């Protein structure tokens, strides 16, 4: 397993220039409404030694032009396998696409046999991620138009009436390695500034980098408990609060949480499992012809990654356009009240704890309808997504031999007729 993520916006640009663009920076003026919103939501910080504007790291989402060419040259050595080239595993691919269309679904947990392409599929998603607007030089990928996902420094600048320089960049995918320390994940005091300048400065961690992006944890069921607690806290609140060495700071940490693992290597804590919006089960392909095709495609990629990627550029472009269209049309998709009632009835009769199952099923069904280019959710849409939204939320019975996904399907047809 790689200990650091090579899948940055620079690598996406190097691997596929046609799918990566950065618009010309433009100033953003603060409106009265935005100022009021910031004032109402900005937490009071700075009284415990944190000095604004003393961030030691560069913006992780929009690196400067001087840095990008070198990074691109380095990252081009590890091209990403194209998403459309992945054979089979339709359930996993659908769950990932629905989360890109609607990040509020809450992420995906992918469990299955080793060697079934879980990590490859997740990392291939980087080429399909859409562009977002960010504030140049901000390490938290702050949204210049939404105070809810602004870092503390950007909020201060807005409150002072300063103009912000805005650019667009690809959504970031951040890998969380199993050996990561809590300081690296949450952020900590900048030792270099403390020693050289004698100031207390905050160095943002991986949660800051993953804000408004994707946080991917491979072998998530092997993650240390103290890191699981950190993820639970951030996933629940959407904020990361750091209290250490005289520093007190909160910053937004809203991300799509994607995890993968092999159930034979250990179970996942129920508290964390419930935080994943959807659950995809991956099995080994048994069809001999399909297995041969997978092996041949992988051999082509290993032999000449650049040519292999170029052969899928057209398909990748079409899928990217489809995702962009679905994201823009998602707000107009309608779900009939009777269907909402039946979804909640299924959740109730399956004894699903809480209401996350109801909410995620509603969102996933709408995202699927948008992906198919429709503005009305059908029963077929619900039937497609409801097993992935509920199977990991059922209480486990050690004496039950039937798969939880089949239990959901049976109850669905019983309720929906």
């Amino acid at each position: 397993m790689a200990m650091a993520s090579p899948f940055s916006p620079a690598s996406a640009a190097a691997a596929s220039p046609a799918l990566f663009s950065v618009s010309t920076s433009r100033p953003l003026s603060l409106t009265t409404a935005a100022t009021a919103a910031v004032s109402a939501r900005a937490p009071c910080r700075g009284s415990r030694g944190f000095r604004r504007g003393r961030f030691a790291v560069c913006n992780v989402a929009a690196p400067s032009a001087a840095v990008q060419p070198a990074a691109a040259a380095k990252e081009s050595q590890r091209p990403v396998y194209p998403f459309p080239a992945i054979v089979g595993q339709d359930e996993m691919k659908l769950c990932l696409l629905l989360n890109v269309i609607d990040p509020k679904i809450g992420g995906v947990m992918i469990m299955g046999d080793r060697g079934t392409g879980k990590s490859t599929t997740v990392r291939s998603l980087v080429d399909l991620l859409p562009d977002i607007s960010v504030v140049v030089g901000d390490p938290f990928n702050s949204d210049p138009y939404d105070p809810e996902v602004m870092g503390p420094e950007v909020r201060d600048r807005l409150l002072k009436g300063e103009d912000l320089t805005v650019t667009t960049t690809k959504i970031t995918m951040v890998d969380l390695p199993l050996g990561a320390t809590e300081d690296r994940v949450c952020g900590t005091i900048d030792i270099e500034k403390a020693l050289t300048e004698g100031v207390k400065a905050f160095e943002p961690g991986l949660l800051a980098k993953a804000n408004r992006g994707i946080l991917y944890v491979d072998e998530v069921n092997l993650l240390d408990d103290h890191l699981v607690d950190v993820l639970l806290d951030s996933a629940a609140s959407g904020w990361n609060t750091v209290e250490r060495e005289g520093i007190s700071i909160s910053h937004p940490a809203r991300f799509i949480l994607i995890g993968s693992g092999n159930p034979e290597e250990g179970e996942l804590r129920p508290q964390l499992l419930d935080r994943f919006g959807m659950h995809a089960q991956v099995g080994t392909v048994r069809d001999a012809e399909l297995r041969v095709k997978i092996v041949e495609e992988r051999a082509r990629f290993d032999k000449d990654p650049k040519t292999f990627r170029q052969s899928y550029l057209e398909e990748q472009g079409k899928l990217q356009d489809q995702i962009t269209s679905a994201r823009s049309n998602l707000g107009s998709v309608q779900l009939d009240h009777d269907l909402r009632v039946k979804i909640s009835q299924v959740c109730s009769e399956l004894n699903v704890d809480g209401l996350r199952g109801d909410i995620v099923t509603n969102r996933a069904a709408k995202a699927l309808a948008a992906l198919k280019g429709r503005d009305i959710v059908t029963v077929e849409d619900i039937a497609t997504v409801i097993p992935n939204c509920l199977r990991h939320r059922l209480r486990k019975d050690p004496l039950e031999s039937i798969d939880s996904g089949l239990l959901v399907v049976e109850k669905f047809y019983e309720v929906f007729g």
Side-chain angles (χ1 to χ4, degrees):
M1 181 189 304
M3 294 305 292
S5 172
F7 302 97
S8 62
S11 65
S16 180
L19 299 179
F20 185 89
S21 61
V22 178
S23 68
T24 306
S25 299
R26 62 189 186 281
L28 173 72
S29 299
L30 174 68
T31 62
T32 305
T35 307
V38 172
S39 302
R41 293 180 174 128
C44 295
R45 301 287 176 194
S47 59
R48 302 186 185 181
F50 172 63
R51 301 190 182 185
R52 308 289 186 186
R54 295 187 180 274
F55 294 99
V57 295
C58 297
N59 187 358
V60 293
S64 63
V67 176
Q68 276 186 328
K74 181 179 178 181
E75 298 296 342
S76 64
Q77 299 173 6
R78 296 195 59 182
V80 183
Y81 198 84
F83 191 87
I86 295 171
V87 180
Q89 312 299 9
D90 295 331
E91 180 180 318
M92 171 173 55
K93 292 192 290 186
L94 178 62
C95 290
L96 291 171
L97 290 177
L98 295 183
N99 272 271
V100 173
I101 293 171
D102 185 2
K104 292 184 179 180
I105 288 175
V108 190
M109 179 65 216
I110 305 169
M111 296 296 279
D113 304 330
R114 61 181 68 87
T116 49
K118 300 185 294 292
S119 301
T120 301
T121 305
V122 172
R123 294 191 171 105
S124 69
L125 198 65
V126 71
D127 284 336
L128 301 177
L129 299 178
D131 294 336
I132 55 173
S133 298
V134 297
V135 178
V136 173
D138 180 70
F140 304 111
N141 302 334
S142 294
D143 187 338
Y145 309 105
D146 185 2
E148 287 288 347
V149 282
M150 286 183 183
E153 187 183 25
V154 172
R155 285 200 302 266
D156 283 353
R157 290 169 59 188
L158 283 177
L159 289 172
K160 294 175 182 176
E162 296 182 18
D163 290 339
L164 302 177
T165 304
V166 179
T167 188
T168 57
T169 185
K170 284 283 185 183
I171 288 179
T172 308
M173 179 178 289
V174 179
D175 275 82
L176 176 61
L178 295 180
T181 64
E182 187 173 343
D183 285 354
R184 183 70 188 100
V185 175
C186 298
T188 185
I189 190 171
D190 188 335
I191 302 298
E192 182 180 355
K193 275 192 175 290
L195 294 177
T196 58
E197 301 178 22
V199 298
K200 293 177 181 177
F202 178 68
E203 182 178 357
L206 294 180
L207 291 181
K209 187 178 179 181
N211 184 41
R212 302 178 66 207
I214 294 175
L215 184 65
Y216 175 49
V217 189
D218 195 9
E219 307 295 350
V220 64
N221 47 336
L222 303 180
L223 197 64
D224 289 341
D225 283 347
H226 69 282
L227 292 182
V228 171
D229 293 336
V230 169
L231 290 182
L232 282 172
D233 185 49
S234 297
S237 64
W239 286 80
N240 175 41
T241 301
V242 180
E243 301 276 356
R244 59 185 58 179
E245 287 89 20
I247 289 179
S248 177
I249 182 175
S250 290
H251 67 79
R254 297 188 179 184
F255 46 81
I256 302 173
L257 184 60
I258 299 179
S260 61
N262 184 351
E264 295 178 359
E265 296 172 354
E267 293 293 330
L268 194 64
R269 281 172 57 178
Q271 301 96 315
L272 183 59
L273 189 60
D274 189 57
R275 295 294 177 184
F276 290 96
M278 304 183 76
H279 184 283
Q281 216 146 9
V282 182
T284 303
V285 176
R286 300 301 177 188
D287 183 80
E289 290 293 333
L290 211 54
R291 290 170 75 108
V292 170
K293 183 178 180 181
I294 294 172
V295 172
E296 290 176 345
E297 291 287 270
R298 184 69 207 191
R300 283 179 55 208
F301 176 76
D302 291 339
K303 183 178 180 180
D304 190 352
K306 185 176 181 181
T307 303
F308 184 81
R309 284 180 54 82
Q310 288 176 345
S311 67
Y312 281 95
L313 275 182
E314 184 178 350
E315 289 183 52
Q316 195 134 284
K318 290 179 180 178
L319 184 56
Q320 197 172 32
D321 292 340
Q322 189 178 0
I323 292 173
T324 302
S325 175
R327 284 171 62 95
S328 61
N329 298 330
L330 181 63
S332 61
V333 177
Q334 300 296 319
L335 178 57
D336 188 73
H337 177 73
D338 291 339
L339 296 181
R340 293 176 188 268
V341 172
K342 289 183 177 180
I343 289 173
S344 293
Q345 184 179 345
V346 171
C347 295
S348 176
E349 294 187 11
L350 287 173
N351 295 319
V352 175
D353 292 333
L355 295 174
R356 285 199 184 103
D358 306 56
I359 296 171
V360 170
T361 305
N362 279 264
R363 288 190 176 280
K366 287 184 176 182
L368 180 58
L371 181 63
K372 293 181 177 180
R374 292 187 274 101
D375 57 3
I376 297 293
V377 175
T378 64
V379 174
E380 289 73 19
D381 295 330
I382 301 173
T384 301
V385 302
I386 198 168
N388 304 108
C389 298
L390 299 183
R391 67 152 63 103
H392 58 300
R393 305 180 193 278
L394 303 186
R395 294 182 178 178
K396 291 189 176 181
D397 184 354
L399 302 178
E400 186 66 68
S401 59
I402 190 172
D403 178 69
S404 57
L406 295 178
L407 288 175
V408 175
V409 172
E410 288 180 358
K411 183 60 66 176
F412 170 82
Y413 285 110
E414 179 183 321
V415 172
F416 280 78

